[in-house]
């Protein structure tokens, strides 16, 4: 009876060992090996429970079963260790191969900053005007009420002031809302003839898809003997064709500005729908690019020019608008977010 029992135990140990060998053969990584170790040698394994229950056996069987069980345990431990070390070195090799550094690969070039599209377009327009004999002038961005409004024929109570959404620094000092104050500053210091453009930043309290609190304008001023509306029209048409291409139509619409009389707004035909009307041009087929007009003689009084001897025209061009029309950009804010992916397109 006891002998049968011993045989039974030894047989089941042998079967367990066979199972173990099968499983170990199939183990693909050290994690599998760990699981096999737990299954065949852990607390709930057959060898553990055999050893735990060995006390219940007769004193003759104890050493036989005990010895055999320990032999299996030793064999399993040795085989596990061998397999584990083999798999470990395979895994290590694999990791090395994955992390290999190819010294022949060219390095990643650091991304260099690139010119903002606004700056490039300003330079391009400056070149066009320089080719027509214009000088480039500058003026301060922090401006006084006098130059921004008063001397531009826009006194305190003038309704046009409310259109400007001005950032005031004090009652009398503000961030310029347009580049037009440089007209006055320039004429104060220079006698006619005047042929200038003034590129620069301007500020208004506004923020949405088509407005940013800072944007860019190019002002233009011509004062000379016998300047008339024909000169204005030819100059602006020529420039518009140079910027947008000869196939664009240009039209002048009557408008109002306090510092010009008569005044006009200038539109170019929409590039996207070729004038048929679309979402970008709000169905009109035209897009406004600038304001212009003949300098109101009232301005000459502020700068001591002789209104009998000279006349002139002026204009103000929105640079972001030019870029939007030329490149089909529909959100003004993208110009100022400094996303290199946006800037690199141009
Ligand atoms: N300063 C005007 C504005 O910001 C634009 C403008 C219109 C400028 C007519 C001019 C001009 O010089 O003659 O809306």
């Amino acid at each position: 009876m006891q002998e049968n029992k011993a045989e039974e135990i030894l047989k089941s140990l042998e079967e367990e060992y066979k199972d173990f060998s099968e499983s170990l053969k199939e183990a693909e990584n050290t994690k599998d090996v760990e699981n096999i170790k737990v299954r065949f040698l852990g607390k709930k394994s057959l060898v553990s429970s055999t050893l735990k229950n060995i006390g219940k056996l007769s004193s003759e069987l104890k050493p036989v079963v005990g010895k055999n069980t320990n032999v299996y345990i030793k064999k399993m431990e040795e085989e596990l260790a061998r397999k584990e070390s083999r798999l470990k070195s395979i895994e290590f090799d694999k990791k090395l191969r994955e992390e290999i550094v190819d010294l022949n690969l060219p390095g990643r070039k650091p991304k260099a900053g690139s010119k903002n599209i606004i700056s490039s377009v300003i330079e391009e327009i400056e070149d066009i005007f320089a080719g027509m004999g214009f000088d480039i002038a500058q003026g301060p961005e922090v401006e006084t009420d006098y130059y921004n409004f008063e001397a531009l024929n826009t006194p305190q109570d003038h309704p046009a002031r409310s259109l400007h959404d001005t950032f005031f620094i004090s009652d009398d000092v503000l961030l310029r809302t347009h580049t037009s104050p440089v007209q006055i500053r320039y004429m104060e210091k220079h006698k006619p003839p005047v042929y200038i453009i003034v590129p620069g930043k301007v500020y208004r309290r506004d923020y949405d898809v088509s407005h940013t609190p800072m944007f860019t304008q190019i002002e233009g001023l011509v004062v000379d003997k016998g300047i008339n509306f024909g000169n204005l029209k030819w100059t602006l048409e020529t420039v518009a064709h140079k910027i947008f291409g000869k196939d664009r139509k240009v039209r002048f619409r009557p408008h109002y500005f306090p510092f010009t009389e008569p005044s006009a707004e200038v539109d170019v035909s929409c590039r996207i729908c070729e004038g048929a009307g679309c979402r970008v041009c709000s169905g009109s087929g035209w897009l406004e690019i600038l304001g212009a007009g003949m300098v109101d003689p009232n301005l000459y009084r502020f700068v001591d020019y002789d209104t009998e001897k000279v006349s002139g025209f002026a204009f103000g061009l929105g640079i972001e608008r030019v870029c939007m029309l030329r490149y089909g950009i529909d959100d003004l804010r993208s110009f100022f977010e400094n996303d290199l992916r946006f800037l690199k397109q141009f």
Side-chain angles (χ1 to χ4, degrees), residues 152 164 177-181 183 202 204 215 217-221 232 255-257 259-260 262-265 288 290-295 313-317:
L152 287 168
H164 280 235
T177 57
H178 50 176
T179 41
S180 305
Q183 291 187 28
V202 302
R204 291 188 202 175
F215 57 103
Q217 289 186 333
I218 292 186
E219 189 77 14
L221 177 67
L232 178 160
H255 198 71
Y256 171 78
F257 296 106
F259 32 90
T260 43
S263 305
E265 275 189 334
E288 179 220 320
L290 58 83
M294 299 307 292
V295 178
F313 69 81
F315 58 89
L317 176 66

Side-chain angles (χ1 to χ4, degrees), residues 240-256:
H241 282 143
K242 286 199 174 164
I243 299 175
F244 294 103
K246 277 233 175 324
D247 52 336
R248 288 282 79 89
K249 286 201 254 342
V250 180
R251 79 172 179 188
F252 288 68
R253 256 183 309 107
H255 198 71
Y256 171 78

Side-chain angles (χ1 to χ4, degrees), residues 77-93:
E77 280 174 348
E78 280 169 5
E79 280 167 38
L80 278 166
R82 230 178 295 135
K83 181 93 182 193
E84 191 175 27
S85 99
R86 232 193 28 245
L87 286 175
K88 255 191 191 154
S89 86
I90 290 173
E91 280 170 16
F92 184 66
D93 278 355

Side-chain angles (χ1 to χ4, degrees), residues 66-106:
K67 194 175 159 215
N68 271 292
T69 311
N70 282 327
V71 166
Y72 279 122
I73 291 176
K74 195 153 178 250
K75 272 212 282 199
M76 287 197 277
E77 280 174 348
E78 280 169 5
E79 280 167 38
L80 278 166
R82 230 178 295 135
K83 181 93 182 193
E84 191 175 27
S85 99
R86 232 193 28 245
L87 286 175
K88 255 191 191 154
S89 86
I90 290 173
E91 280 170 16
F92 184 66
D93 278 355
K94 187 166 166 242
K95 196 160 167 236
L96 279 187
R97 247 180 289 120
E98 279 167 2
E99 288 175 1
I100 203 158
V101 178
D102 181 353
L103 297 174
N104 291 313
L105 271 182

